[in-house]
Each structure stands twice: as structure tokens, then as C-alpha cells.
Amino acid sequence: MGKSGGKHDLKREIWFKKVLWSYMPCNLTGLLLICGLVFIGVGGVFVGQWALRAADVDGADDWPFLLIIPTVISGWIIAERHS
């Protein structure tokens, strides 16, 4: 049995290694995951700024940066699960 102790334990691939307080990709899949999250985060900020500017919203350049928070948290959860 693995860490969870359940009868349906899955052997997960190791995509990240824990280095000090962070996770570093040690597999091509981990690196591609990080690149994908960066692409989604940056793309979301650009599209959010464009949409808010088109709607003449005050602070259109600032609000979309809040999308970075869930992107970073998602990456951290995935890295912790696959380390």
C-alpha cells in the first residue's frame, strides 16, 4: 500500500523533485506542465486586459493579474502530488 493506505493506490510518475522549499521539474512532463501553466496564465492576463479595456473598466490593467494566483496554486498542487 502507498501513502493513502487505500486499496486503489496508484503509482504516480515523478515529475518534480523537492529542492529546499520549492519543486523543480525532473521530467519532460513536469517541464511541459510548467510551460503550459505559464502559457495559460500569461494568455489569461492578456485576454483579460483586452476584454476589460474593451468594456472601459477602471483598473483594466490590474485586475487580470489576479488570474496568476490560481495558476500558481494549481501548479503547486500538481507538483506536490507528482513529487
Side-chain angles (χ1 to χ4, degrees):
M1 282 194 236
K3 290 181 182 178
S4 66
K7 70 176 189 175
H8 297 293
D9 285 339
L10 297 175
K11 183 100 174 149
R12 291 190 182 93
E13 292 182 27
I14 303 299
W15 297 343
F16 298 91
K17 295 274 187 195
K18 188 159 181 135
V19 178
L20 297 176
W21 57 86
S22 184
Y23 295 95
M24 298 298 291
C26 65
N27 189 339
L28 180 61
T29 308
L31 184 62
L32 291 175
L33 178 80
I34 296 295
C35 292
L37 286 172
V38 167
F39 180 74
I40 289 169
V42 171
V45 169
F46 284 146
V47 170
Q49 286 178 336
W50 172 78
L52 291 174
R53 284 180 192 158
D56 290 328
V57 174
D58 289 335
D61 292 334
D62 301 330
W63 285 107
F65 283 101
L66 293 176
L67 294 172
I68 292 174
I69 295 169
T71 305
V72 169
I73 291 172
S74 299
W76 179 65
I77 290 171
I78 294 169
E80 186 172 325
R81 185 175 178 99
H82 287 279
S83 65

